[in-house]
Structure formats: structure tokens, C-alpha cells
């Protein structure tokens, strides 16, 4: 089946650090990529949607200057958490989809811990 | 987006069939029914999707009511590795816009007993 690779799987860093998370579709061209965040014992919350070569569309309440998304190719999207603080600690999950009628496939997530 | 209602939790025994229900009484004609599952500390995994007819794949079967207001995900023989949160999600692919994002609810936590 379709594979989405997300890296790194875990990050622990100091407050004020910027962290970049990569999401790659390994065996299909991802026309659209999605970034989710999941806090403990809660469901996934969509942060933003990006189409290759276009600016990302952010969900209400998500700061676009804090969560920078780049989707420069059909196989790679990156999420940069800028100047991360402890409240940004969470499980970040990317997802990719090819054609509109195809399922979304998810990465294994990145657990971000800000000290 | 049309909403879905699922039980918070269900329990099953290993090697027995599991029927996970989902109600979606406000479903529209262009809503596809998607099922995903999430194992602990992992991203969600696609299970199955359908529109009107029942669907089968190597992971599960999806039974869709004739009026489409409910559906059931069927795991034919539960294993311990099937313990996960199962999400039933409606996705509308009609009209304009190119994103058709998935919106996750709370899902059903399936426990499989050995």
C-alpha cells in the first residue's frame, strides 16, 4: 500500500528552538498534504492543508507564522514549528493524498517535546 | 461536514468477528464513508471506504445500510493487533475546492481480549 514517511519520529528540544518535520510520500505523488496535531487522549485536529506549489491553507486558530508549511514538490512537505514553547509539545502527524477520490495516507507521527 | 456517531468503546475476543457501528443520519448523496484506525503512538491507517455498496478488502468489510444513514465495519477475525481507535469519517467530494479534508471525531476504542 501507499507509504508516507515522516521524520523525525521524536524530538526533544529547548524552548525557543525551531523544529522542522519532514513528510514524504514514497510511492505516489502527493497532490495534497495535510498536517494534524494530536494532544494526549484527544482526536486528531487538522492544522493546515497544502497543495504542491501553493501556499498552505490554515485552519482557524492555527498561527501561520508559527507553523510554517512548505510543499515544494509532489513528494515532500515540511512543517517548521518556529520558536517552539512547551505548549507546542504534541504529536504531529502528516498525511498525503494523490487524486481527490483516493484515500489519505498518514505518516507515523512526530512526538515533539519542548522543555 | 455531516457528523458521525460511534460508541466510545467496544470489547471483543481474539479470533471472533467484530462489528463496529457508525451512525450518519445527515449523510448527503455525495459523502463517501471512510474508516481509519489508529494504533497507539502511530498515525492513522486507512482501512476501507465506500459510497453505497458493501465493500470488502483484505483488512475488513464495510456494510452500508440501504438508506446510507448507518454503516458497520466488520473485522472477520479480531487479533490483538486490531486493538486500536477506529474512526468513521464522511468525506464529500462534490462541488468545488480541491482539499476534501478528513475531520476526525473521537472514534471507537476497540479492546481485543486474548
Amino acid at each position: 500500500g501507499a507509504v508516507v514517511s515522516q521524520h523525525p519520529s521524536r524530538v526533544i528540544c529547548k524552548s525557543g528552538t525551531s523544529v522542522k518535520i519532514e513528510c514524504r510520500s514514497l510511492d505516489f505523488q502527493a497532490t495534497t498534504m495535510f498536517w494534524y496535531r494530536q494532544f494526549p487522549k484527544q482526536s486528531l485536529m487538522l492544522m493546515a492543508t497544502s497543495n504542491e506549489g501553493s501556499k498552505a491553507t490554515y485552519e482557524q486558530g492555527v498561527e501561520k507564522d508559527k507553523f510554517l508549511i512548505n510543499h515544494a514538490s509532489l513528494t515532500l512537505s515540511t512543517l517548521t514549528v518556529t520558536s517552539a514553547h512547551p505548549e507546542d509539545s504534541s504529536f504531529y502527524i502528516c498525511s498525503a493524498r494523490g487524486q481527490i477520490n483516493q484515500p489519505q495516507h498518514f505518516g507515523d507521527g512526530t512526538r515533539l517535546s519542548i522543555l | 461536514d455531516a457528523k458521525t456517531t460511534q460508541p466510545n468503546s467496544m470489547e471483543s475476543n481474539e479470533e471472533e468477528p467484530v462489528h463496529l457501528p457508525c451512525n450518519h443520519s445527515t449523510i448527503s448523496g455525495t459523502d463517501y464513508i471512510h474508516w481509519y484506525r489508529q494504533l497507539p503512538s502511530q498515525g492513522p491507517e486507512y482501512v476501507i471506504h465506500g459510497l453505497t455498496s458493501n465493500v470488502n478488502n483484505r483488512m475488513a468489510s464495510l456494510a452500508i445500510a440501504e438508506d446510507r444513514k448507518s454503516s458497520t465495519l466488520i473485522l472477520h477475525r479480531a487479533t490483538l493487533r486490531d486493538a486500536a481507535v477506529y474512526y468513521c469519517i464522511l468525506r464529500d467530494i462534490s462541488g468545488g475546492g480541491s482539499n476534501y479534508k478528513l475531520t476526525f471525531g473521537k472514534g471507537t476504542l476497540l479492546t481485543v481480549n486474548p
Side-chain angles (χ1 to χ4, degrees):
Chain A
V3 178
V4 174
S5 174
Q6 188 171 341
H7 178 81
S9 59
R10 185 171 182 99
V11 181
I12 301 173
C13 57
K14 294 180 179 179
S15 185
T17 306
S18 291
V19 178
K20 180 185 280 190
I21 303 169
E22 287 190 354
C23 180
R24 295 179 184 273
S25 58
L26 298 184
D27 55 357
F28 67 101
Q29 292 188 325
T31 308
T32 307
M33 285 189 167
F34 306 84
W35 287 94
Y36 292 81
R37 182 167 54 180
Q38 185 175 33
F39 291 106
K41 299 192 183 300
Q42 294 187 22
S43 190
L44 283 78
M45 291 176 51
L46 180 65
M47 299 175 66
T49 304
S50 71
N51 293 304
E52 184 262 338
S54 302
K55 285 185 179 179
T57 301
Y58 290 81
E59 295 298 301
Q60 193 171 9
V62 178
E63 300 175 55
K64 63 179 181 180
D65 293 331
K66 180 158 188 69
F67 299 100
L68 302 179
I69 291 171
N70 183 280
H71 189 174
S73 78
L74 285 172
T75 59
L76 174 64
S77 175
T78 61
L79 167 68
T80 301
V81 184
T82 61
S83 187
H85 292 287
E87 59 266 28
D88 298 321
S89 298
S90 188
F91 191 47
Y92 291 85
I93 307 168
C94 76
S95 177
R97 188 195 66 218
Q99 300 301 314
I100 287 175
N101 61 348
Q102 291 177 337
Q104 278 180 227
H105 296 280
F106 290 80
D108 277 338
T110 297
R111 190 160 302 282
L112 177 62
S113 300
I114 308 298
L115 306 177
Chain B
D1 292 331
K3 289 187 176 179
T4 63
T5 304
Q6 298 177 253
N8 289 333
S9 62
M10 289 185 64
E11 220 170 301
S12 172
N13 295 321
E14 203 174 4
E15 299 193 0
E16 291 184 356
V18 181
H19 290 232
L20 295 162
C22 180
N23 287 321
H24 28 77
S25 58
T26 59
I27 191 171
S28 74
T30 50
D31 280 327
Y32 276 76
I33 302 161
H34 287 249
W35 283 83
Y36 284 78
R37 71 181 186 182
Q38 186 177 23
L39 279 66
S41 299
Q42 293 186 27
E45 176 186 25
Y46 166 76
V47 178
I48 201 166
H49 76 285
L51 183 62
T52 56
S53 304
N54 294 343
V55 184
N56 299 295
N57 65 21
R58 62 176 181 82
M59 289 182 70
S61 295
L62 176 59
I64 302 173
E66 202 168 322
D67 64 5
R68 302 211 322 127
K69 294 189 176 184
S70 65
S71 61
T72 303
L73 179 71
I74 303 166
L75 306 179
H76 295 286
R77 284 183 68 213
T79 69
L80 296 179
R81 295 180 65 179
D82 291 322
V85 178
Y86 286 79
Y87 298 98
C88 169
I89 305 169
L90 302 183
R91 187 161 78 108
D92 185 358
I93 64 166
S94 69
S98 60
N99 294 329
Y100 310 113
K101 55 197 178 186
L102 291 175
T103 302
F104 286 77
K106 294 185 178 179
T108 297
L109 174 62
L110 175 66
T111 302
V112 180
N113 300 315

